[in-house]
C-alpha cells in the first residue's frame, strides 16, 4: 500500500468505502464477511474507512464501527457524513451527530463530511436557520471532529458557489471522479477548481459503480495490448494516480476478491502515460453513446421557455448511463417551468443546433426517463423508515 500526505498524516491511497457491503439473504450486512475484509484491509495497510448516515439504511455505520472496534484506534481513520441533502425537521445536526458517534462506537470522527452538497441541497447547508456548518465547526473545536469536509455531486458552477461561501471551512472535498466522468460530469473542471482553492480531493465512484470494471471484448483487447497483466478495473484506479490533489480513492468493495485485487493495484502507483490516457478517454466516449451537445447555447437563445437545454441534455446523457435518484435530485431542484416537460416542442432550438440534434425529442425522452426513476423524497422516506431500528 502506498500513502499520500494530508496535513502531516499518511493516508492510504485506497480507502474502504462502505456503501456496498456484503449482504445476507435478508438484506442485512454480512458482518462476518465484513470482519474478514476489514482484517485483510488493515493487515495490508488500508487505514481509511468511509461510511455515511444513510448507507445500507443506517446499518453501515453500526457494522463498520463494530468491525473496526477489534483494532487499536491508532491503526485506522473513520469518516462519516451528515445527511443535509435529505434535511427535515428531524435532521437537526446535534442528535444526528451524537447518534452517529454512538452507532460507530467512537468518541470522535477523524473525518466528517457534509453529505452530497449539490444544486438541491446547497441552500440547506448554507441556510443560517440550520447552523449546520457552525455546529460542526464547534464539534471540531471540541475535538470530536478532526477534519471537516464535504462530498459533492454538484456541477462545477454550484461547487464554486458553495466554495465561495464556505470553502474557508472545508479541508477536503469528495467528488465523483473517473475516466468517464472526466468529461461527462466535468470532473476535469472540478479538479481544476479544487486545485485552485488548494482543497485536497477524495475520489468516490472511481469505477462508476462497477460500470468500468467490465468492458467490451474490443475495448478490453486494446487495454490488454498496452498492459497485459493489468486487470480492467485497475485501469480506472491508475487513471487517478497522477491527478493533482487526489489523496484518497474510495472503493465500495462488496467481497474479498474485490478487496484483494484493489489492494494489489494500490501496492504502488503506476500512473498512465499520456498515450494510455488518450486511449482510455476514447473508450469512455464510446461507453457514453451520448447526445453530442457541445454547449454552444445557440438553442437557448431561441427557446421561448428559456430552458437551459445544454444542462438538460447533460442530465439526459448521465441518466441514460446510470439512472439513479441522486442525479435526478439535481434536476428536481429546477423550478417546474424549467423542467424538460416545459418544452413546447416548437423546434426553434433544433433549427439553430450546429450538431443537428433533435432537441425536442431528447427533452421528451428525458421527461419519460425521469418518470421511471424514484423521486429523491420517496427514496429518502423509504430509507428513513428502514433505518429507524438502526438509527434509534
Amino acid at each position: 500500500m502506498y500513502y499520500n500526505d494530508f496535513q502531516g498524516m499518511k493516508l492510504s491511497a485506497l480507502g474502504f468505502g462502505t456503501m456496498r457491503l456484503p449482504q445476507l439473504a435478508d438484506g442485512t450486512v454480512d458482518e462476518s464477511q465484513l470482519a474478514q475484509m476489514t482484517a485483510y484491509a488493515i493487515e495490508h495497510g488500508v487505514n481509511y474507512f468511509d461510511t455515511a448516515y444513510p448507507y445500507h439504511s443506517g446499518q453501515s455505520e453500526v457494522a463498520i464501527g463494530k468491525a473496526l472496534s477489534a483494532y487499536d484506534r491508532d491503526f485506522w481513520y473513520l469518516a462519516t457524513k451528515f445527511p443535509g441533502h435529505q434535511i427535515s425537521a428531524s435532521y437537526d445536526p446535534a442528535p444526528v451527530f451524537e447518534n452517529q458517534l454512538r452507532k460507530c462506537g467512537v468518541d470522535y470522527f477523524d473525518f466528517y463530511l457534509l453529505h452530497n452538497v449539490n444544486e438541491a441541497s446547497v441552500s440547506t447547508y448554507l441556510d443560517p436557520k440550520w447552523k449546520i456548518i457552525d455546529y460542526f465547526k464547534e464539534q471540531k473545536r471540541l475535538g470530536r471532529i478532526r477534519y471537516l469536509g464535504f462530498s459533492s455531486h454538484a456541477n462545477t458552477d454550484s461547487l464554486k458557489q458553495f466554495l465561495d461561501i464556505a470553502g474557508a471551512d472545508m479541508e477536503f472535498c469528495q467528488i465523483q471522479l473517473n475516466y468517464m466522468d472526466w468529461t461527462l460530469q466535468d470532473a476535469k473542471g472540478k479538479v481544476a477548481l479544487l486545485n485552485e482553492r488548494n482543497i485536497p480531493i477524495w475520489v468516490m465512484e472511481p469505477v462508476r459503480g462497477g460500470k468500468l470494471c467490465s468492458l467490451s471484448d474490443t475495448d478490453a483487447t486494446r487495454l490488454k495490448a498496452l498492459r497485459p497483466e493489468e486487470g480492467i478495473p485497475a485501469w480506472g484506479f491508475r487513471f487517478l494516480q497522477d491527478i493533482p490533489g487526489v489523496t484518497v480513492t474510495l472503493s465500495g468493495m462488496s467481497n474479498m476478491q474485490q478487496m484483494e485485487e484493489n489492494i494489489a493495484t494500490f501496492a504502488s502507483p503506476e500512473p498512465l502515460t499520456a498515450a494510455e490516457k488518450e486511449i482510455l478517454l476514447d473508450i469512455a466516449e464510446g461507453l457514453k453513446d451520448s447526445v453530442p451537445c457541445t454547449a454552444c447555447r445557440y438553442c437557448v437563445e431561441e427557446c421561448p421557455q428559456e430552458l437551459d437545454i445544454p444542462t438538460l441534455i447533460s442530465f439526459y446523457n448521465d441518466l441514460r448511463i446510470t439512472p439513479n435518484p441522486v442525479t435526478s435530485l439535481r434536476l428536481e431542484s429546477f423550478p417546474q417551468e424549467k423542467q424538460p416537460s416545459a418544452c413546447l416542442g416548437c423546434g426553434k432550438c433544433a433549427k439553430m443546433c450546429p450538431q443537428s440534434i433533435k432537441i425536442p425529442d431528447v427533452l421528451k425522452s428525458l421527461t419519460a426517463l425521469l418518470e421511471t426513476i424514484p423521486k429523491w423524497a420517496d427514496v429518502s422516506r423509504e430509507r428513513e423508515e428502514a433505518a429507524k431500528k438502526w438509527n434509534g
Side-chain angles (χ1 to χ4, degrees):
M1 179 60 58
Y2 72 94
Y3 298 83
N4 290 318
D5 293 326
F6 175 77
Q7 298 196 23
M9 305 168 67
K10 295 290 187 182
L11 300 181
S12 56
L14 174 66
F16 186 3
T18 63
M19 187 173 71
R20 301 182 176 94
L21 294 175
Q23 293 179 277
L24 299 172
D26 63 359
T28 59
V29 173
D30 186 338
E31 294 187 1
S32 175
Q33 189 174 169
L34 174 58
Q36 295 174 33
M37 293 172 67
T38 302
Y40 188 89
I42 289 178
E43 289 166 7
H44 290 80
V46 174
N47 64 13
Y48 191 95
F49 297 81
D50 172 271
T51 185
Y53 184 91
Y55 290 176
H56 286 278
S57 298
Q59 299 177 56
S60 177
E61 290 177 323
V62 175
I64 193 60
K66 188 181 298 184
L68 289 171
S69 67
Y71 305 91
D72 191 287
R73 188 71 166 89
D74 293 336
F75 290 168
W76 45 269
Y77 303 115
L78 180 61
T80 194
K81 310 175 186 74
F82 176 70
H85 62 301
Q86 46 187 180
I87 203 79
S88 71
S90 63
Y91 280 81
D92 175 56
V96 173
F97 184 71
E98 297 295 340
N99 196 25
Q100 289 177 301
L101 290 169
R102 179 185 60 78
K103 289 169 63 185
C104 292
V106 296
D107 53 16
Y108 70 92
F109 291 112
D110 301 284
F111 297 86
Y112 197 85
L113 298 85
L114 308 180
H115 198 177
N116 196 7
V117 174
N118 59 44
E119 291 82 350
S121 66
V122 66
S123 59
T124 296
Y125 280 117
L126 299 176
D127 191 330
K129 78 176 180 181
W130 293 108
K131 299 180 180 178
I132 292 173
I133 295 177
D134 287 343
Y135 174 81
F136 290 118
K137 286 171 62 178
E138 176 64 9
Q139 300 313 302
K140 182 182 174 185
R141 188 190 69 79
L142 295 172
R144 305 175 85 200
I145 293 172
R146 296 182 66 187
Y147 302 99
L148 181 62
F150 69 108
S151 68
S152 179
H153 289 278
N155 64 31
T156 309
D157 288 342
S158 295
L159 181 59
K160 182 178 184 300
Q161 175 194 357
F162 180 76
L163 290 173
D164 286 345
I165 298 172
D169 297 315
M170 298 294 112
E171 297 172 277
F172 64 103
C173 175
Q174 188 167 306
I175 61 171
Q176 182 164 317
L177 175 55
N178 54 67
Y179 64 82
M180 176 179 285
D181 288 315
W182 190 244
T183 53
L184 182 62
Q185 290 195 6
D186 190 31
K188 181 179 181 180
K190 297 173 190 178
V191 166
L193 175 61
L194 293 167
N195 286 171
E196 177 187 308
R197 304 297 178 95
N198 294 314
I199 296 178
I201 298 168
W202 270 227
V203 175
M204 57 181 162
E205 301 292 357
V207 290
R208 223 180 197 270
K211 183 173 181 62
L212 304 182
C213 291
S214 179
L215 302 178
S216 69
D217 290 344
T218 299
D219 289 338
T221 298
R222 292 176 71 185
L223 297 183
K224 286 293 184 183
L226 298 169
R227 297 193 182 195
E229 303 304 316
E230 197 81 273
I232 297 302
W235 279 86
F237 297 119
R238 300 293 186 207
F239 175 78
L240 305 167
Q241 289 181 339
D242 65 349
I243 292 179
V246 169
T247 304
V248 176
T249 297
L250 297 168
S251 180
M253 295 169 275
S254 302
N255 55 57
M256 185 63 79
Q257 180 180 348
Q258 292 173 358
M259 176 71 73
E260 292 172 350
E261 290 177 356
N262 288 352
I263 285 177
T265 297
F266 281 85
S268 62
E270 297 177 27
L272 306 182
T273 65
E276 289 172 334
K277 281 190 176 181
E278 185 176 346
I279 290 174
L280 201 61
L281 291 172
D282 181 63
I283 288 173
E285 290 304 313
L287 290 172
K288 293 175 190 176
D289 186 28
S290 58
V291 176
C293 175
T294 62
C296 68
R297 304 191 71 82
Y298 294 156
C299 54
V300 177
E301 297 173 6
E302 294 298 317
C303 179
Q305 300 293 82
E306 298 182 348
L307 300 181
D308 187 351
I309 296 170
T311 297
L312 294 176
I313 290 177
S314 73
F315 279 121
Y316 178 63
N317 285 335
D318 201 348
L319 287 167
R320 286 176 67 206
I321 295 169
T322 311
N324 68 81
V326 174
T327 301
S328 62
L329 167 67
R330 296 170 55 206
L331 185 49
E332 287 174 28
S333 68
F334 284 32
Q336 193 60 42
E337 66 272 16
K338 300 301 179 183
Q339 295 284 336
S341 56
C343 173
L344 302 176
C346 66
K348 292 181 179 179
C349 52
K351 291 178 181 177
M352 295 299 297
C353 180
Q355 310 303 321
S356 300
I357 299 170
K358 297 179 179 178
I359 296 172
D361 291 348
V362 173
L363 297 184
K364 184 177 180 180
S365 296
L366 174 56
T367 300
L369 179 57
L370 288 170
E371 291 175 355
T372 69
I373 301 172
K375 296 293 184 183
W376 180 261
D378 296 334
V379 172
S380 296
R381 193 178 305 110
E382 291 175 5
R383 288 178 177 174
E384 191 167 351
E385 287 297 320
K388 282 182 179 177
K389 66 178 180 178
W390 300 99
N391 290 329

